[in-house]
Amino acid sequence: MRWWISGILLFCTLYSNARAESPVDGDSHASLHDVAKLVQSSRATKPPLPFRPDALLLKSYSGDPTDRTSFHRGLLLRELVRQSLLISARDELGLRTRDATLRESLVDSDKPAAAQDTTKGSVQIVSSIPGDLFLQHSDRLEISIFRDDAPVPQTVFEKTVQLSRPRPEAIEEIAAAVEQLSRNEFPKVLKEVGYQGNSNAILENSSLPDDVVQSSSQWDLISQFNAIRALHQIHRTSGESPQSLAALAESYARLGTLTAFLRSPAHQALKARALLYSQRLLARTSGSNDARQSYIYVLALLGRHQTALDQLDLLAKKKADLTLPTEVIQAFVRFDADGLEKLAADPSQRSLVRYLQFLAVEPLEDHAFAAEAAMNLVKEQEACLPAYHFLSHRATLGVKRGATAAALGVFAQTLYDRLAQATELPSSVRNITDRAAEAGLNNDAMRQEIGLRLQLIDELHDAGQVRRDNGELSWDFLGQLIREVNFAKAADLLFVQGNNLGLPLNEMSALVSGLSPLISGHPYEQGLLGYGRTLDINVQQLPRFLESIDLDDMEVSLQPMAIYFADLYRPFADQVMIKGIDNQDLVYRDLVFQLQRGHASLGDTATFFLRSVSPKSPMYAVGHIRYRWQSLNDQQRGRLESDFGNNLLVLENLTQQYLVAASWSDAERLLLRIIELYPTAKSFETLANLYGQQGKTKQWIETLSASLELPASGLDQDRIRVQIAEHYMSQGEFAEALPYAEQAAQSWAAWAMITAINCHEALGDNEAAELWVQRLSQRYDSKSLDWYFFCRRTGSGNVEQAFAFAKRYLQSIGEPLEGHQQTLAVLDQLQGNTSQAALRFQRLYDSGANPWDGLHAAVLATELGETEVARRLLVRVAAQKDAPPAGHEVEVTLAQLLLDSQDETSFDREKVDSLVRTAPPGDPTNLNYFIGKFLWHSGDQSVGEAYLRLAARSPTIKWNRHLAAAMLRDEAIDFGTPAPQELLPAENPSKD
């Protein structure tokens, strides 16, 4: 994570510079924008478009790159201005519109000449909010509309909108201002530049078709798309009514939140449209109670909780009756968990309740109750993809695997059924939905479905060309939306298989290749194709990936991919991190993401803004606990506990502060409260660790044991069984440990099986130990050699079969085996190929200067009688003392001590033993092996044997443990069973 630190430093540098150069007071701008410079800087990736009199084709520009005070503004603010122009073209002039933020194609594939005027450039818009970095003192919004003519763009409209409030409250003010422009000034500008058309008719009232109402009630992407497209068609053909505007705003809000998990900025455009149509509704109805309740709905979904509360206060003063959905929203924005759950008893509101409960936890870190909210939502709305995405990343391993697989099937099963319900579906698309219905597609026919889905994307793109499709949202947008889902689900699958299940590199590459048709055509295709490949391939793909990235659209959702590429091109990762922060908006979701980043400055800033955005959210309290704890007095701390005494997040963060302060009684009190409210393995484990820190071993074991009475949840209980087993094993009480170790191993988790192996081996039951190590090797590729190592270490088991299995694994990897040379060198030693092992280790040390490799090469040279070679290697390793590689300091020191023993023909055991005794855990096993093997082959076998025994009896998982044990067994020396803890020279073990 060092790239993150460097990114923060760069961010702070930009922040300081911006503050130094920012004009807080007065107007230092001669003009609103240097549009020529703006367009010129973007022409490489955003070439100019010809003018189309039938359509507004809008590219995306973020602020003015010549103005360093306008870059931190948020994508939602950018989109409010852009979408207001598109709404003006669509609803005031009846034009077709296409939007780059939605990743719609702005140019028809055949480019019909009749639809273009190549003498003029397309009309574009840009905006910014000058001021300091966080726009606390910003007092104006600057807008420029220009014609993107070559070679110089021509400004056709400039406007400064004065802001009465600082940025935390400015989103709604800006939405109201630009919505008014969309009805008044923008249509005039568009007519002046050559567009003509009529606005939608205005209706006092209307009823909505049943199919629109039905689609609106479904929390899935396709249903909401169908509802929005049908509502726009109603506006175009019949006119706008308060009912249709409310339905349109609410559907845009739903689709905006449903698409936020995708690697696309489209959700910001959809959310901006929701706000703008809400403002249009308020303007049309003079702020009627019904319009205001619809507005409250939109504000709540978009994460503007305080504004929703303010609007609720207005309704209360007017003594307006609240609809049932508004009561649900009121409980949500007040974070009244009990009240919200009570409202779920009404079947008509249950889906809304479950979705809002999920929205409250969706940006949170990995947490059991957050996963529970996602699972509750899936039970109510099976096709809700954001819930599956959440579970693929922030749940137990079993749930991650199940959710990732289920999402692929659910989307395949619902896509065609929901799409078939769309109005005026193109015949080519209808043909595909009919074929899907006839085939009865399911998970067993996934390969066939993927082919059909790719064909569907192509047909939607063709049907959605500007000259063919006058609907909104376009068919092209739907095709792109399906492609975004493909990409997101492929990324989820690779994340779970690679990060959680440790799929080997060759299998990851095969999986990536298999997924490539699914992600073909996505802007970040090259980034995902590089996942799981070798470093050389990634470097080759990096330029193409960088070319596909538009930093103007960067969001936090793309940062994991930046982490992956950080080692390839660090400046890119830094830019992604910074732009992700720059583009965050003052909405609940973005601020909670920022609060959890772990950096004090960012967390404190997020806490400050949550006061204006969502002051009743538990995360506002969490921000104070995490980042402002020292400034809180006892009364304020007590109020946090009393106000949020039933909220798990707040209680856990309070507990953490008391644990850090070693305030054991306060921490114990809160942990017991947490267990009373929400008993989980994690809460019991934290309480047990509290007792462990105080040396209360009996209470530690009792508390962990009590957690095993809970209903099973993933691997939590098996992890606790392993803790108990390893405690008993560390005390030499292996019989007491065995039941816990054996039951945990039944989970087939690698770490649990390893504990069972060690326990059985310590009890002398090598037959049972071999059974588990065989299972371990056969289940996990990374453990494929463990079976053979066990057989050589213990002198028992089917060594021939184990070696054959290990050999097949290495052959399956294929060439090159450069990343496995240490493994091969160890195998060479165990097979008696000493010369080959020495050669491998010397080559490894020559190329990597790893002292561990150097010591191996030196002791092997000693075994081969190559004393001078051994000496030269020890000299080289010892010479690294001024700058030893991290984690290898003791090996460098040992090399000097072994070198001294050669020069002085005597072995300074006191110095060597002191080094071993003070080495970090795990290192004594390695050191004991090196010392023992060196002395053995230098003529002092009795002393060498003593050190080899220490290494061979070590309970740690080290290659040198296997080598020491195998060496002694080859010499017919019995060294006993593994010790409870790593052995040190001072313990002077007997030879029995």
Side-chain angles (χ1 to χ4, degrees):
M1 296 296 289
R2 282 175 291 180
W3 73 271
W4 176 264
I5 297 172
S6 63
I8 291 292
L9 293 175
L10 180 55
F11 172 77
C12 292
T13 300
L14 292 173
Y15 177 31
S16 300
N17 291 342
R19 288 292 297 269
E21 300 177 18
S22 171
V24 175
D25 298 313
D27 187 351
S28 63
H29 294 258
S31 62
L32 296 183
H33 290 283
D34 189 337
V35 172
K37 288 184 179 179
L38 170 65
V39 174
Q40 189 63 36
S41 67
S42 300
R43 281 234 163 114
T45 56
K46 302 173 184 177
L49 297 171
F51 178 77
R52 289 190 65 139
D54 62 335
L56 179 62
L57 314 173
L58 206 60
K59 296 184 282 187
S60 62
Y61 298 98
S62 286
D64 183 347
T66 65
D67 177 5
R68 297 185 64 187
T69 67
S70 70
F71 71 96
H72 189 93
R73 51 195 303 279
L75 287 180
L76 181 60
L77 291 179
R78 181 192 79 179
E79 288 304 314
L80 283 172
V81 178
R82 293 184 68 258
Q83 299 305 320
S84 65
L85 184 62
L86 287 166
I87 287 175
S88 181
R90 182 167 53 247
D91 295 325
E92 298 299 325
L93 295 180
L95 300 175
R96 307 175 187 206
T97 60
R98 292 296 184 270
D99 185 1
T101 300
L102 298 182
R103 291 183 174 159
E104 294 176 303
S105 176
L106 303 184
V107 179
D108 284 349
S109 57
D110 50 2
K111 301 179 182 178
Q116 301 179 153
D117 183 348
T118 57
T119 65
K120 302 176 183 177
S122 62
V123 173
Q124 303 296 328
I125 192 168
V126 63
S127 63
S128 65
I129 306 177
D132 66 12
L133 185 62
F134 293 108
L135 307 181
Q136 282 296 95
H137 303 283
S138 305
D139 60 356
R140 63 190 185 277
L141 165 70
E142 298 181 346
I143 302 172
S144 295
I145 298 177
F146 61 95
R147 192 190 290 282
D148 190 5
D149 291 334
V152 180
Q154 302 297 319
T155 300
V156 297
F157 173 82
E158 291 185 327
K159 180 77 173 183
T160 296
V161 177
Q162 294 297 323
L163 304 178
S164 63
R165 292 176 288 184
R167 186 187 179 207
E169 294 81 28
I171 290 179
E172 291 76 23
E173 183 178 2
I174 289 173
V178 296
E179 190 283 324
Q180 185 177 14
L181 289 175
S182 74
R183 289 181 287 109
N184 300 325
E185 295 186 56
F186 285 173
K188 296 176 183 177
V189 174
L190 291 173
K191 288 180 179 179
E192 288 173 0
V193 299
Y195 291 109
Q196 297 297 323
N198 299 313
S199 64
N200 297 334
I202 306 300
L203 308 177
E204 287 191 12
N205 287 288
S206 71
S207 59
L208 299 178
D210 290 342
D211 60 336
V212 173
V213 175
Q214 176 63 24
S215 293
S216 299
S217 67
Q218 300 296 313
W219 294 89
D220 68 90
L221 308 182
I222 309 303
S223 295
Q224 294 303 321
F225 169 86
N226 288 346
I228 290 170
R229 188 171 170 95
L231 287 164
H232 276 297
Q233 183 65 15
I234 290 171
H235 285 181
R236 188 180 292 267
T237 58
S238 302
E240 302 174 4
S241 70
Q243 292 80 9
S244 63
L245 277 174
L248 185 61
E250 292 168 20
S251 283
Y252 266 123
R254 286 189 287 269
L255 188 57
T257 56
L258 286 167
T259 54
F261 76 99
L262 301 174
R263 272 70 166 182
S264 164
H267 70 103
Q268 300 284 14
L270 301 171
K271 292 172 181 175
R273 292 186 184 189
L275 276 175
L276 291 168
Y277 279 116
S278 287
Q279 291 290 344
R280 190 177 181 92
L281 173 62
L282 288 170
R284 295 287 194 212
T285 62
S286 301
S288 70
N289 290 343
D290 288 344
R292 204 166 295 282
Q293 293 194 58
S294 177
Y295 181 42
I296 290 169
Y297 181 99
V298 169
L299 289 169
L301 261 64
L302 270 55
R304 296 289 294 173
H305 301 154
Q306 181 57 55
T307 311
L309 288 168
D310 293 342
Q311 295 295 314
L312 284 164
D313 288 343
L314 287 176
L315 290 177
K317 291 176 181 178
K318 296 167 67 174
K319 298 182 179 181
D321 293 329
L322 300 183
T323 63
L324 193 53
T326 305
E327 290 182 14
V328 173
I329 293 297
Q330 181 172 247
F332 169 63
V333 295
R334 289 177 176 173
F335 285 83
D336 177 6
D338 293 338
L340 194 59
E341 186 58 36
K342 287 179 182 177
L343 289 165
D346 186 332
S348 69
Q349 301 304 312
R350 191 173 299 135
S351 290
L352 175 60
V353 170
R354 295 296 180 234
Y355 190 72
L356 293 174
Q357 289 171 329
F358 172 69
L359 281 187
V361 301
E362 185 261 343
L364 298 182
E365 298 161 336
D366 186 9
H367 212 293
F369 77 83
E372 182 180 337
M375 288 188 280
N376 287 339
L377 175 57
V378 168
K379 290 176 186 176
E380 192 67 28
Q381 290 285 330
E382 186 184 13
C384 190
L385 292 181
Y388 291 98
H389 175 75
F390 180 92
L391 293 172
S392 295
H393 290 262
R394 282 172 269 178
T396 60
L397 181 57
V399 174
K400 285 180 180 180
R401 296 175 68 177
T404 303
L408 294 169
V410 165
F411 187 61
Q413 292 169 12
T414 58
L415 169 61
Y416 307 96
D417 177 60
R418 304 288 164 85
L419 184 55
Q421 300 170 20
T423 58
E424 300 183 1
L425 196 65
S427 59
S428 59
V429 178
R430 176 72 66 185
N431 178 52
I432 293 177
T433 60
D434 291 344
R435 286 165 54 194
E438 293 170 3
L441 294 173
N442 53 46
N443 285 339
D444 296 332
M446 186 62 70
R447 189 181 301 275
Q448 177 187 357
E449 190 279 324
I450 288 176
L452 202 60
R453 195 188 310 181
L454 297 177
Q455 184 181 349
L456 176 63
I457 292 173
D458 290 340
E459 293 296 343
L460 287 168
H461 173 71
D462 188 62
Q465 292 189 61
V466 181
R467 65 187 178 89
R468 291 194 177 112
D469 186 9
N470 68 350
E472 186 68 33
L473 299 161
S474 72
W475 297 119
D476 186 36
F477 167 74
L478 180 58
Q480 183 60 42
L481 184 61
I482 296 170
R483 180 178 283 117
E484 295 291 349
V485 173
N486 291 346
F487 186 90
K489 295 300 102 185
D492 289 347
L493 182 61
L494 289 173
F495 177 84
V496 172
Q497 293 294 328
N499 289 27
N500 297 127
L501 299 178
L503 202 67
L505 185 64
N506 62 320
E507 294 186 32
M508 280 296 293
S509 295
L511 181 59
V512 169
S513 298
L515 291 171
S516 59
L518 205 58
I519 62 176
S520 177
H522 191 277
Y524 304 140
E525 173 187 1
Q526 294 302 320
L528 204 56
L529 287 176
Y531 192 90
R533 304 296 181 88
T534 65
L535 192 63
D536 289 342
I537 294 176
N538 286 337
V539 171
Q540 294 169 15
Q541 290 178 321
L542 184 62
R544 294 178 62 188
F545 178 55
L546 295 182
E547 289 173 4
S548 70
I549 293 293
D550 186 346
L551 286 175
D552 286 348
D553 292 338
M554 189 55 57
E555 292 190 89
V556 174
S557 62
L558 266 179
Q559 289 186 354
M561 192 174 295
I563 294 173
Y564 175 68
F565 277 91
D567 288 334
L568 305 180
Y569 188 55
R570 187 61 55 85
F572 165 70
D574 292 340
Q575 289 180 62
V576 169
M577 191 279 301
I578 292 170
K579 288 300 292 187
I581 295 173
D582 291 349
N583 288 340
Q584 289 186 120
D585 288 284
L586 296 186
V587 296
Y588 174 78
R589 183 175 190 264
D590 286 7
L591 291 173
V592 172
F593 273 133
Q594 181 175 324
L595 189 148
Q596 296 176 120
R597 285 298 164 189
H599 187 272
S601 176
L602 295 177
D604 184 70
T605 300
T607 303
F608 173 80
F609 285 127
L610 274 172
R611 180 182 62 185
S612 302
V613 172
S614 187
K616 296 188 179 297
S617 70
M619 289 307 295
Y620 179 52
V622 168
H624 280 82
I625 297 168
R626 288 190 184 183
Y627 303 110
R628 300 182 172 189
W629 183 252
Q630 298 305 320
S631 65
L632 300 178
N633 57 40
D634 291 341
Q635 183 180 4
Q636 291 170 320
R637 294 175 180 181
R639 192 181 305 128
L640 285 172
E641 185 176 339
S642 61
D643 290 349
F644 295 93
N646 291 329
N647 186 271
L648 185 60
L649 274 175
V650 175
L651 291 175
E652 285 183 341
N653 279 272
L654 283 169
T655 300
Q656 185 59 36
Q657 289 292 351
Y658 289 133
L659 288 173
V660 170
S663 182
W664 308 126
S665 59
D666 286 326
E668 182 180 10
R669 172 174 51 79
L670 291 181
L671 282 167
L672 290 171
R673 175 64 175 158
I674 289 171
I675 289 172
E676 177 188 351
L677 290 171
Y678 202 88
T680 64
K682 177 184 176 183
S683 55
F684 275 95
E685 191 175 1
T686 306
L687 180 60
N689 291 336
L690 169 65
Y691 293 136
Q693 287 180 278
Q694 299 175 76
K696 299 178 180 179
T697 305
K698 180 183 177 183
Q699 289 169 283
W700 178 82
I701 293 176
E702 289 174 347
T703 305
L704 288 182
S705 298
S707 73
L708 299 179
E709 302 300 320
L710 296 171
S713 175
L715 296 174
D716 285 344
Q717 290 179 321
D718 293 308
R719 185 168 43 79
I720 287 174
R721 290 187 180 98
V722 166
Q723 285 189 56
I724 297 173
E726 290 183 344
H727 165 74
Y728 283 125
M729 290 165 65
S730 70
Q731 304 300 311
E733 299 172 356
F734 295 102
E736 289 79 1
L738 184 59
Y740 295 99
E742 185 69 25
Q743 189 171 353
Q746 300 296 331
S747 69
W748 290 70
W751 39 267
M753 287 194 279
I754 289 170
T755 299
I757 293 164
N758 291 338
C759 191
H760 281 297
E761 186 179 346
L763 288 168
D765 189 353
N766 286 343
E767 182 178 350
E770 185 189 12
L771 176 64
W772 280 117
V773 78
Q774 182 179 352
R775 291 170 174 173
L776 177 70
S777 291
Q778 291 172 343
R779 186 176 181 88
Y780 295 96
D781 284 347
S782 62
K783 304 295 183 183
S784 295
L785 277 65
D786 284 30
W787 183 14
Y788 175 67
F789 290 153
F790 168 84
C791 293
R792 289 291 283 120
R793 182 178 73 245
T794 62
S796 64
N798 194 331
V799 66
E800 293 83 9
Q801 189 176 348
F803 181 71
F805 183 83
K807 189 175 180 180
R808 284 196 301 273
Y809 165 70
L810 291 171
Q811 289 172 342
S812 71
I813 296 175
E815 297 294 339
L817 290 170
E818 293 305 319
H820 300 271
Q821 289 302 304
Q822 285 185 340
T823 304
L824 294 174
V826 171
L827 281 176
D828 284 334
Q829 287 192 74
L830 294 174
Q831 286 290 298
N833 300 324
T834 307
S835 297
Q836 180 63 30
L839 181 61
R840 288 189 196 275
F841 275 123
Q842 285 191 47
R843 288 175 176 171
L844 282 168
Y845 185 63
D846 290 342
S847 62
N850 184 334
W852 191 86
D853 295 327
L855 282 176
H856 266 292
V859 296
L860 286 171
T862 303
E863 179 180 357
L864 293 169
E866 299 172 352
T867 307
E868 189 55 37
V869 173
R871 176 182 173 78
R872 287 199 299 270
L873 285 164
L874 290 173
V875 168
R876 289 174 60 192
V877 175
Q880 295 180 259
K881 63 181 181 180
D882 292 332
H888 294 280
E889 295 84 357
V890 293
E891 292 158 6
V892 173
T893 303
L894 178 61
Q896 185 61 59
L897 292 174
L898 297 181
L899 192 61
D900 291 343
S901 70
Q902 277 191 335
D903 292 340
E904 300 170 10
T905 65
S906 64
F907 178 64
D908 191 338
R909 189 165 185 175
E910 184 177 343
K911 285 185 178 180
V912 171
D913 287 356
S914 176
L915 175 67
V916 177
R917 286 194 296 268
T918 58
D923 282 342
T925 300
N926 284 330
L927 298 178
N928 284 327
Y929 169 73
F930 287 132
I931 297 164
K933 188 173 180 70
F934 177 80
L935 293 175
W936 180 284
H937 292 294
S938 296
D940 197 346
Q941 292 188 357
S942 61
V943 178
E945 179 186 332
Y947 285 98
L948 288 170
R949 284 173 175 274
L950 297 176
R953 293 192 63 205
S954 171
T956 61
I957 303 173
K958 295 286 183 182
W959 277 337
N960 285 359
R961 173 196 178 193
H962 308 316
L963 292 171
M967 181 177 172
L968 291 175
R969 294 205 181 278
D970 290 345
E971 297 292 335
I973 298 173
D974 183 21
F975 51 84
T977 57
Q981 297 178 352
E982 199 168 21
L983 297 175
L984 304 176
E987 295 181 49
N988 192 24
S990 72
K991 296 186 179 184
D992 295 328

